[in-house]
Amino acid sequence: MTSNPQGGPEPVIFVRDLRKAYGDIKAVDGVSFEVRPGEIFGMVGPNGAGKTTTIECLEGLRTPDGGTMRVLGLDPRRDGYALREIVGVQLQESLLQNRIRVWEALDLFASFYRTPVPWEPLLRRLGLEEKRRAPFAKLSGGQKQRLFIALALVNDPRLVFFDELSTGLDPQARRSMWDLVRSVRGDGKTVVLTTHFMEEAERLCDRVAILDRGKIIALDTPDNLIRGLGAENRVVFTSDQELAADAFQAVPGIRRAERTGERWVLYGRDDRLVVEVVNFLSASRIKFRDLRTEQATLEDVFLTLTGRVMRD
C-alpha cells in the first residue's frame, strides 16, 4: 500500500466536493470525506439525505455532476470494471429470480470474477448451509440479507459497501447482521455502511458522517460526536409519593428536575449523578421503582444539529 505525502497509508476512499442533482433537487451538495483502511465508516441520516446517491457514485452506478472521487486509487467513472473486481456491494434494494437456488446464485456470481473465493465456506459462515438448495423466494428476510452479503464477498473484496443492511429486519436478525459486519472488518476489509438507524451506526462504526439534505453536517467518532454535544445525562424513576421539584436542588450534580405523573426525569452532567440520586432517595425514605439512566446518543446529536425529528 502506498503512502500519502503527509505520511500514513492512502485513504481507501477520497471524496472532495461531490455533487449530484436531479432537476432542482440537490441530492449530494458538496460532500467531502475520506475513509481509512480497515475501518467501519458510517453514513447516517434520514431517507433522502443523500447517503445512497453518494455511495452509488462511489460504486460507479451513478455519474456525479462534479467533484473528485478515488476508490482504492481508482476513478469509479473511468475504472468501473477494475473496481468491481476488488469491491463488494450490497445494494439497498436487491432481488434475485424467485426460483434460483442459494448455491446457484453463489456459483453464478463467482463466475463474474477472475479470482473468486470458494463459495462453500461462505455458506457455512453465513449460516446458509442448510438453505443451500432453497429457492430465493423461500428465504426469510434475514436469510436473503445474508445471501446478499455472501454475494458481496464472493470476489474477496478489499472494500465492502453495505447500504441500509438491516432495514426491514426484526431486532434479532438486525443484531445478527451487526455481528456479520464486524466479522467482515475482522477479515481486514474496509466497510462503508449507510443507515438511518442511529443505534446501528453507534454500535458498529469507527467514524460516522451525518448527512442531511445532501450535506455532511458532522463527521467524527460516535463518542466524540456525543461528547461534543454536551448533552446532560438523565436519571429516570417512578414514584407515587408527592414530591416537589425543588426537593432535588440539594442533590449534587442535578441541574433540573421534571415530572410527568409519577415519572421523574433528573438532568445533570456529574459522573456520579445516579449514585447521588439513589443516595438522596434512600436517605429521604422516598420509595421509587424502575430507576434507570439515559445517556445522549447519536439520535440526540442529529436532533440537535438539525432541530427536527428523523424522517423515515
Side-chain angles (χ1 to χ4, degrees), residues 7-285:
E10 288 281 358
V12 172
I13 295 176
F14 174 89
V15 179
R16 283 293 178 272
D17 194 29
L18 186 67
R19 288 172 279 113
K20 179 66 178 179
Y22 302 99
D24 295 332
I25 300 174
K26 295 181 179 179
V28 181
D29 190 12
V31 164
S32 299
F33 65 94
E34 297 180 4
V35 177
R36 302 163 183 165
E39 73 174 336
I40 300 177
F41 183 88
M43 301 184 72
V44 304
N47 291 337
K51 307 182 304 295
T52 295
T53 300
T54 298
I55 293 304
E56 289 180 347
C57 288
L58 294 173
E59 294 165 348
L61 300 177
R62 293 191 185 274
T63 302
D65 299 328
T68 301
M69 300 182 297
R70 290 292 183 274
V71 180
L72 294 169
L74 301 173
D75 185 338
R77 290 166 290 195
R78 297 195 308 263
D79 307 314
Y81 287 111
L83 192 61
R84 291 182 186 102
E85 289 286 336
I86 54 177
V87 168
V89 177
Q90 173 269 325
L91 297 175
Q92 180 176 352
E93 296 183 3
S94 301
L95 286 175
L96 292 172
Q97 201 275 337
N98 281 338
R99 294 184 179 181
I100 192 169
R101 300 183 186 277
V102 168
W103 78 266
E104 292 173 330
L106 283 162
D107 199 54
L108 174 64
F109 273 64
S111 71
F112 297 157
Y113 303 104
R114 290 193 296 265
T115 57
V117 296
W119 51 260
E120 291 88 348
L122 285 175
L123 278 180
R124 292 191 293 271
R125 177 179 176 184
L126 296 174
L128 292 171
E129 197 166 27
E130 293 184 358
K131 297 295 181 179
R132 175 191 182 101
R133 299 190 58 80
F136 178 76
K138 296 296 185 180
L139 300 179
S140 69
Q143 289 165 347
K144 288 178 180 178
Q145 288 291 56
R146 293 204 298 274
L147 175 57
F148 289 129
I149 291 176
L151 297 177
L153 298 177
V154 75
N155 61 325
D156 194 22
R158 293 165 53 191
L159 168 66
V160 186
F161 291 98
F162 292 131
D163 191 8
E164 302 291 358
L165 179 66
S166 61
T167 298
L169 299 182
D170 60 57
Q172 182 177 3
R174 181 173 300 158
R175 280 159 178 75
S176 176
M177 290 299 106
W178 295 355
D179 290 338
L180 288 173
V181 173
R182 294 186 185 102
S183 72
V184 170
R185 195 267 292 275
D187 292 337
K189 305 181 189 303
T190 302
V191 175
V192 175
L193 173 74
T194 67
T195 180
H196 64 268
F197 293 117
M198 293 296 182
E199 181 189 6
E200 185 166 272
E202 189 172 341
R203 295 283 191 93
L204 289 178
C205 297
D206 299 298
R207 290 188 303 138
V208 174
I210 300 178
L211 280 78
D212 191 38
R213 295 192 172 105
K215 294 181 179 292
I216 291 180
I217 56 177
L219 196 165
D220 209 330
T221 66
D223 285 346
N224 285 345
L225 288 170
I226 294 169
R227 190 178 302 113
L229 180 64
E232 296 168 312
N233 294 326
R234 302 178 289 272
V235 175
V236 182
F237 68 92
T238 301
S239 176
D240 55 12
Q241 292 184 229
E242 287 297 324
L243 301 170
D246 58 9
F248 297 98
Q249 291 180 352
V251 181
I254 289 185
R255 294 172 177 255
R256 70 184 192 280
E258 297 178 355
R259 179 182 181 181
T260 303
E262 296 182 350
R263 181 177 183 270
W264 282 91
V265 182
L266 309 180
Y267 297 83
R269 291 196 176 96
D270 195 311
D271 290 339
R272 289 178 47 82
L273 181 65
V274 65
V275 175
E276 299 290 356
V277 170
V278 171
N279 287 343
F280 171 78
L281 294 174
S282 299
S284 303
R285 300 184 181 279

